[in-house]
């Protein structure tokens, strides 16, 4: 009986150790250094307007008082395009594109601020990790008009490695 108990304790310890190691491991493909970033802000008072890119371009609709952002991410060494993050104030939509099927992605957290409050908007999000050449998804938010939005882009789901951040306006 004693041997069974010792084996059970050893097996439990091994499982807990493996679970801890898996739970704290960062992505094997995480970029180091971080991706290079270019950000473009658009005053949506002057839209409709578009910004070209290698995949599908970006089209912003007219939204008086709004400020949109398009963040492009490039591989730190080769300069290859990795993806983009766009916030569109018209309809309050976040668009994510992962254009490199490399086993890695980036994560985005929104934080809304008004005169009296600051709070996260929804969970940490990312493009779906499929075998497609381009993974894209759109998140639709219902934000209170007249506030600011902070867009943070991370290299890991633990939000330990901030790549860039931007501020936009929800008119």
């Amino acid at each position: 009986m004693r041997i069974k108990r010792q084996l059970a304790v050893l097996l439990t310890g091994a499982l807990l150790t493996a679970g801890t190691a898996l739970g704290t491991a960062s992505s094997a493909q995480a970029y180091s250094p971080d991706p290079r970033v270019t950000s473009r802000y658009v005053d949506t008072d002057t839209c409709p307007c578009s910004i070209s890119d290698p995949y599908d371009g970006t089209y912003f609709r007219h939204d008086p008082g709004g400020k949109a952002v398009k963040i492009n991410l490039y591989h730190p060494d080769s300069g290859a395009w990795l993806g983009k993050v766009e916030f569109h104030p018209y309809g309050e939509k976040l668009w994510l594109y992962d254009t490199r099927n490399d086993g890695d992605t980036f994560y985005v957290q929104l934080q809304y601020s008004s005169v009296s409050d600051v709070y996260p908007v929804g969970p940490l999000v990312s493009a779906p990790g499929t075998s497609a050449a381009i993974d894209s998804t759109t998140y639709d938010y219902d934000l209170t008009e007249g506030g600011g939005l902070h867009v943070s882009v991370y290299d890991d789901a633990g939000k330990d490695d901030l790549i860039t951040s931007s501020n936009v306006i929800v008119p």
Side-chain angles (χ1 to χ4, degrees):
M1 192 68 155
R2 183 178 177 142
I3 291 176
K4 286 183 182 180
R5 180 176 284 166
Q6 287 175 337
L7 284 174
V9 168
L10 286 174
L11 181 59
T12 302
L15 289 173
L16 287 172
T17 302
T20 301
L22 289 173
T24 60
S26 61
S27 172
Q29 297 293 322
Y31 297 107
S32 182
D34 285 338
R36 288 183 314 158
V37 175
T38 61
S39 298
R40 179 131 179 231
Y41 295 92
V42 176
D43 180 353
T44 56
D45 280 338
T46 61
C47 290
C49 52
S50 61
I51 302 172
S52 64
D53 66 45
Y55 285 89
D56 69 349
T58 301
Y59 176 81
F60 293 110
R61 294 179 66 173
H62 177 72
D63 196 359
K67 189 173 188 181
V69 67
K70 177 179 180 169
I71 302 168
N72 292 318
L73 303 163
Y74 301 92
H75 192 279
D77 299 322
S78 69
W81 207 48
L82 298 173
K84 63 180 175 175
V85 176
E86 302 170 359
F87 180 76
H88 297 245
Y90 186 90
E92 296 138 7
K93 296 188 186 312
L94 178 70
W95 296 64
L96 302 180
Y97 293 78
D98 186 341
T99 59
R100 193 90 168 167
N101 195 357
D102 58 2
D104 194 12
T105 192
F106 45 88
Y107 301 85
V108 178
Q109 177 72 64
L110 300 181
Q111 194 170 29
Y112 181 82
S113 62
S114 66
V115 174
S116 62
D117 201 11
V118 175
Y119 57 89
V121 177
L124 185 71
V125 295
S126 65
T130 70
S131 60
I134 300 172
D135 285 325
S136 67
T137 192
T138 305
Y139 296 91
D140 191 356
Y141 297 96
D142 184 19
L143 302 173
T144 303
E145 300 286 316
L149 194 67
H150 187 76
V151 180
S152 299
V153 181
Y154 297 93
D155 195 12
D156 66 327
K159 300 193 293 187
D160 296 318
D161 189 1
L162 178 68
I163 296 171
T164 190
S165 62
S166 299
N167 291 310
V168 295
I169 298 170
V170 182

